[in-house]
Each structure stands twice: as structure tokens, then as C-alpha cells.
Amino acid sequence: MERPIGIIVSEPRPLAGQGSRSSGNFSTKWFGGAHRMLVEVTVDGQIDETITFSIAEDRSGNDPVKARNVHNNTELEYIESNSLYICETKCPTNKNFTVTIKPYVN
């Protein structure tokens, strides 16, 4: 198994004082060689097909959304950044969930 690009734990709703951010920042930088990313979403260690979210980049001023309607098994173009976060979460389970971002090779 290849090492993941990132493993992020997200709240099911926005963090206190945040409009839509539900996780801390995570980085995909320095991974090297990945051109695409595959997303896995789990709750309590089990794949979850019901959760959707967006990925935004933390910047001074407005934070650009880099990917929308992300869910389990979503394939994305590689996003290289030191300051990404999960936002706009729709989480029917209302539990924390884990997002594992893996390098994707056709």
C-alpha cells in the first residue's frame, strides 16, 4: 500500500467561530510524483458514502475553494498546498469523519 498524501479528521459541522470550516489545515506539499488524488471517507473505520464536503485553501483574504462535492472515491487533480482544509460539510451521520487522500495512478 502506498503512503497516503494526507489523513484528516473533520468535524461534522463548522468549527466554533467558523462559517464553514470543519477541519484544521492540512498539507499536500512535498508529496512528489502524484498527478491525481483519490479520496476515501470513513466514519468509525467504515467507508461512508453519504458525506460530502469541499476543500478550500487557507489564504489571507478570501479562501478559494479548490474542490466541491467531494465524497468517498472522488478522483481529483493533484492540489499542492500547505494550507488546505475541509469545509461546506454535509454529514448525515453527525459524527467526526476521516478523509484519507491517496495518490491515484491510472
Side-chain angles (χ1 to χ4, degrees), residues 42-96:
T42 58
V43 174
D44 296 331
Q46 301 296 312
I47 295 291
D48 189 290
E49 303 285 352
T50 65
I51 296 169
T52 61
F53 55 90
S54 295
I55 298 174
E57 185 172 24
D58 193 354
R59 289 198 180 163
S60 183
N62 290 336
D63 295 350
V65 174
K66 298 295 193 172
R68 292 189 189 277
N69 196 32
V70 180
H71 50 84
N72 186 64
N73 216 29
T74 296
E75 182 184 327
L76 301 169
E77 290 292 325
Y78 179 67
I79 304 166
E80 184 176 28
S81 175
N82 274 329
S83 56
L84 298 172
Y85 63 89
I86 294 172
C87 60
E88 300 173 351
T89 301
K90 294 179 183 78
C91 183
T93 63
N94 206 30
K95 291 183 171 184
N96 286 2

